[in-house]
Every structure is written in C-alpha cells, then in structure tokens.
Amino acid sequence: MSRYTICPEASMSRLSAALLLLGAILLGGSTAVAQSDSDVYNRIEELHGDAASFDRRLRQLVRAMRSGDAETIAGLAEYPLTVKANGETYDVENAEDFIDNFDDLVTPETRRAVGRQQYEDLFVSSDGVMMAGGAVWMGAVCDDTACEVSHWAIIAINN
C-alpha cells in the first residue's frame, strides 16, 4: 500500500510526465522500455499495493473511454479533479460537473489513446500510474489518515 497521499490538485503536466518517463528510461537502461504485464503489475504492487484493484479499475476505464461512457469515467475520478484541456486548466468539483462537460474535458485523442492502452506500456512511479503518454494518471488515494485503506482513482487528466 502506498505511504503517500495523492493530492488531486498536484497533477502532472504532460511535459513533466514525459521528462519523468525519459529520466526513468535513461537511468534504467534499455530494460525500462521492454517490460511485461507482470513486471508492471509487480511494480504497482511494490509501490502502491492492491495491484488487483488497479487492474479492475484500469479495465473499467479503458472500456469506458472506448465507448465514451462519461458516467463511468466520472465515477472513477477523485474530486476535485484538475483537468488540462484545450489550453486551459479546469478544476472539476464533482462527477455531475465532469459529466456535463465531458466532451470539453476529455478530448477524442485522449479517449482513443486510453482506449488502446496496453498494460505493458503503463508507466509506474510513486506518483501513480501514467497512461496514454501522460494524458491520464491514476493513483492510490488514501481513505484514512494512516493510509491503511485506499482506492484507485483518476487523479489527473492532461489532454
């Protein structure tokens, strides 16, 4: 289980995510590029715990992005949620706000990229799990002060 509390307000920009990924590749050598599903699963378990729960939530998210299911995607997010889209930054306060503005908050490119996400292409760090080149981040969000209980949620969207 993660020792870190994820703050939705502290979302990563695509540039920060790309630089973090590049640094990991350079520091890790060529093995950082070629990873298996089990490597990714084990890394999630090592850094955050409850990789099985992440796997279930990821599958829900990928299906929902493929079909444009705003309600399911909204239900997978932690609020308030910072979303970067169309050159703007939005602070989405709740699921209803997300659903009402879905087409502006999640671009078709992001939906396609997440809809095609392969498990072995995920990037895992202590901040969470990055998908679609940094367009979406999921994190283990603590449900109590000691972080003995947590849940996986979308913590940032960076179209």
Side-chain angles (χ1 to χ4, degrees), residues 46-68:
E46 173 189 334
L47 290 176
H48 302 283
D50 201 8
S53 179
F54 169 79
D55 186 62
R56 285 189 300 277
R57 303 284 276 187
L58 174 66
R59 291 175 195 281
Q60 288 176 321
L61 178 60
V62 168
R63 280 192 306 271
M65 286 287 195
R66 285 180 185 160
S67 65

Side-chain angles (χ1 to χ4, degrees), residues 42-140:
N42 292 337
R43 181 85 171 138
I44 293 167
E45 189 65 40
E46 173 189 334
L47 290 176
H48 302 283
D50 201 8
S53 179
F54 169 79
D55 186 62
R56 285 189 300 277
R57 303 284 276 187
L58 174 66
R59 291 175 195 281
Q60 288 176 321
L61 178 60
V62 168
R63 280 192 306 271
M65 286 287 195
R66 285 180 185 160
S67 65
D69 182 352
E71 289 81 11
T72 296
I73 298 166
L76 294 170
E78 184 70 16
Y79 299 96
L81 176 67
T82 300
V83 177
K84 294 180 182 178
N86 308 310
E88 301 287 331
T89 299
Y90 304 95
D91 293 318
V92 182
E93 295 299 319
N94 54 52
E96 182 179 341
D97 190 20
F98 184 89
I99 294 164
D100 289 346
N101 296 288
F102 179 73
D103 289 331
D104 293 324
L105 296 173
V106 185
T107 65
E109 295 81 15
T110 294
R111 285 182 239 164
R112 280 192 296 276
V114 175
R116 292 189 308 257
Q117 181 65 54
Q118 298 296 309
Y119 207 84
E120 68 268 7
D121 295 330
L122 294 169
F123 175 76
V124 183
S125 75
S126 60
D127 292 317
V129 180
M130 177 185 81
M131 60 197 73
V136 177
W137 280 81
M138 291 185 80

Side-chain angles (χ1 to χ4, degrees), residues 15-32:
L15 178 59
S16 297
L19 290 174
L20 183 62
L21 179 58
L22 177 62
I25 291 169
L26 292 175
L27 288 174
S30 62
T31 57

